[in-house]
Amino acid sequence: MIEFFFDCSSPWTYLAFHNIQPLAKELGAEIVWRPILVGGIFNTVNPSVYAQREKPVPLKARYMTKDLQDWARSAGLAIKMPPTVFPVNSVKAMRGCIWLGKDIVPFATAVFEAYWGEDKDISQDAVLAEICRKIGIDEQKFFAGISEQGIKDQLKANTEEVVARGGFGSPTIFVNKTDMYFGNDRLPLIREALLRSKASAA
């Protein structure tokens, strides 16, 4: 089993979200999608992210831009970095992911594409309403659903859980509950972990 803790506001998470699905399908692994707020993680255990944004190392920042575009090209995705609005408040989008439950993938995909591919501000109700219409979600039910206290509480609980389990950003991925991986570039290691797990179960 794969647990995928994620926030749509991260470009590396967009890549991992896209890339892990065919990997899981190929190896017969179930993905449990766990929406979080990555800002809550940074505030709690990883404030260095904010310091890095305020005072970036120019050489490292330039390479990171190239690295991101190399990975995006490899995945067949378009990513604009930085988007016009960055960082973005993704709380409503991530509550939407919680509210949709098992129907999460089309919505999360559309949110990722809107923000990273089309440079749309996913904090805005109009953008979220457009995404709902695009994939056939009743937008009135959507906005009513994401305002429910239980949905808000679950997003907070997911965020607190990933920190308690050792996570410090998005995406944080667990194989079989305890084996943690961070980031898109760890997918080859996740593949190996899944193959080991299948072999030991055989």
Side-chain angles (χ1 to χ4, degrees), residues 44-144:
T44 306
V45 295
N46 195 6
S48 65
V49 171
Y50 300 128
Q52 187 180 350
R53 284 177 185 166
E54 287 174 17
K55 293 184 178 180
V57 177
L59 293 176
K60 186 177 179 182
R62 189 160 65 233
Y63 176 74
M64 193 201 79
T65 300
K66 175 195 180 297
D67 193 34
L68 181 63
Q69 293 306 325
D70 287 344
W71 279 106
R73 189 182 309 107
S74 175
L77 299 174
I79 294 180
K80 181 188 178 192
M81 182 66 191
T84 302
V85 177
F86 182 80
V88 71
N89 184 339
S90 60
V91 64
K92 289 183 178 179
M94 300 318 296
R95 286 176 184 165
C97 289
I98 296 274
W99 178 70
L100 282 159
K102 291 187 176 180
D103 298 322
I104 189 175
V105 171
F107 177 76
T109 301
V111 171
F112 275 122
E113 290 174 351
Y115 185 51
W116 292 110
E118 300 165 21
D119 196 21
K120 293 180 178 178
D121 181 357
I122 57 170
S123 71
Q124 299 301 307
D125 286 358
V127 172
L128 293 174
E130 180 186 342
I131 290 169
C132 287
R133 290 192 295 272
K134 178 181 176 183
I135 60 173
I137 296 171
D138 185 310
E139 59 193 90
Q140 289 186 319
K141 288 182 181 177
F142 173 86
F143 286 109

Side-chain angles (χ1 to χ4, degrees), residues 112-199:
F112 275 122
E113 290 174 351
Y115 185 51
W116 292 110
E118 300 165 21
D119 196 21
K120 293 180 178 178
D121 181 357
I122 57 170
S123 71
Q124 299 301 307
D125 286 358
V127 172
L128 293 174
E130 180 186 342
I131 290 169
C132 287
R133 290 192 295 272
K134 178 181 176 183
I135 60 173
I137 296 171
D138 185 310
E139 59 193 90
Q140 289 186 319
K141 288 182 181 177
F142 173 86
F143 286 109
I146 66 171
S147 67
E148 293 173 7
Q149 192 59 46
I151 298 298
K152 297 177 182 179
D153 291 346
Q154 186 60 57
L155 184 59
K156 185 171 183 286
N158 284 359
T159 305
E160 291 173 349
E161 179 184 335
V162 74
V163 171
R165 292 170 65 181
F168 50 86
S170 173
T172 299
I173 304 159
F174 289 90
V175 175
N176 296 334
K177 292 287 187 182
T178 58
D179 192 10
M180 189 182 95
Y181 298 87
F182 174 69
N184 171 69
D185 56 350
R186 301 306 191 275
L187 262 63
L189 301 179
I190 292 170
R191 170 187 288 277
E192 291 178 9
L194 290 168
L195 288 171
R196 286 195 305 272
S197 181
K198 284 185 74 172

